[in-house]
Amino acid sequence: MIIKDKEFEIYLSKEEIAERISSLANEIENNLDGIKPTFISILNGSYIFTADLLRALDIECEVSFVKLASYKGTSSTGNVISIIGLEQSIHNKDVFIIEDIIDTGVTLANFIPDIQQRNPKSITIISLLSKPEARKVPIEANYVGFEIPNKFVVGYGLDYDGLGRNLSDLYILKEG
Ligand code: 5GP
Ligand code: MG
């Protein structure tokens, strides 16, 4: 399938994604032990994953959405992240961050201290996808849907230059 100017091939079908999310939800539920999570979904990429995961969870919970704006060249990591949209207090709450994909890890490595400053009781990271080979900073999720190779993916919420977020399946860049 062509998206804009690049060729992609199917990598994970919507059925495979749904099956994995259902088992992730079970795993999360079984580990909750009475905790009522406050989910923080990182937009834009996580919107579909968030909707599907939260509907697969049969629990009482809160959910907020944030957007991260990054500015280049102002810190040692090259990125400063500012959180847009977190009006809700997370003081003493069990925060579960929902990400679409962990690539270099820089985004989360910058975001987590900002969350920590707001004194939550705990922080848990959930990511649909992870590219372990791409990591530049040591950060790992507590729950990962799929580990994938270090290649660009699109669909199921993730975009290529603004396109493809609405695709039900996940596609990977075709080489050559
Ligand atoms: P990191 O800071 O971990 O390098 O990257 C995190 C963000 O980069 C993700 O939330 C996502 O928005 C974007 N990203 C990383 N890899 C991919 C990819 O393969 N496809 C798309 N569409 N976005 C990606
Ligand atoms: Mg993202």
Side-chain angles (χ1 to χ4, degrees):
M1 113 127 48
I2 305 283
I3 301 170
K4 202 183 169 187
D5 54 0
K6 287 198 166 37
E7 196 176 356
F8 291 84
E9 60 192 345
I10 193 149
Y11 183 69
L12 295 169
S13 70
K14 56 176 180 277
E15 291 81 12
E16 288 172 293
I17 297 170
E19 201 173 302
R20 181 67 187 118
I21 288 178
S22 157
S23 65
L24 258 188
N26 274 333
E27 216 183 305
I28 293 168
E29 260 188 60
N30 291 338
N31 291 340
L32 277 182
D33 208 15
I35 283 175
K36 271 186 210 163
T38 296
F39 290 100
I40 299 181
S41 167
I42 304 180
L43 296 174
N44 296 324
S46 306
Y47 79 109
I48 294 181
F49 177 45
T50 301
D52 284 347
L53 178 68
L54 295 198
R55 285 179 297 172
L57 286 167
D58 189 17
I59 56 164
E60 200 171 293
C61 65
E62 295 180 273
V63 58
S64 285
F65 296 86
V66 300
K67 224 172 156 157
L68 305 181
S70 52
Y71 305 92
K72 276 193 179 157
T74 45
S75 78
S76 54
T77 59
N79 277 290
V80 173
I81 307 285
S82 90
I83 304 175
I84 303 164
L86 192 64
E87 280 113 26
Q88 185 201 356
S89 169
I90 55 168
H91 183 86
N92 222 21
K93 300 222 164 149
D94 293 291
V95 167
F96 286 61
I97 294 165
I98 305 181
E99 222 343 354
D100 52 356
I101 183 165
I102 307 178
D103 183 28
T104 62
V106 169
T107 304
L108 277 180
N110 282 286
F111 180 61
I112 302 288
D114 217 327
I115 290 294
Q116 266 159 351
Q117 270 188 357
R118 296 163 195 245
N119 296 311
K121 192 192 277 176
S122 67
I123 300 174
T124 301
I125 301 170
I126 306 168
S127 186
L128 175 67
L129 306 167
S130 171
K131 294 180 186 170
E133 296 156 35
R135 212 69 89 243
K136 288 189 178 138
V137 292
I139 188 139
E140 295 308 330
N142 303 85
Y143 298 95
V144 172
F146 301 91
E147 290 199 340
I148 66 168
N150 192 9
K151 288 185 191 171
F152 192 78
V153 290
V154 65
Y156 197 75
L158 292 94
D159 73 306
Y160 167 48
D161 213 6
L163 300 171
R165 290 194 198 278
N166 57 319
L167 297 167
S168 303
D169 307 297
L170 188 80
Y171 292 80
I172 198 158
L173 189 63
K174 210 170 163 175
E175 313 266 348

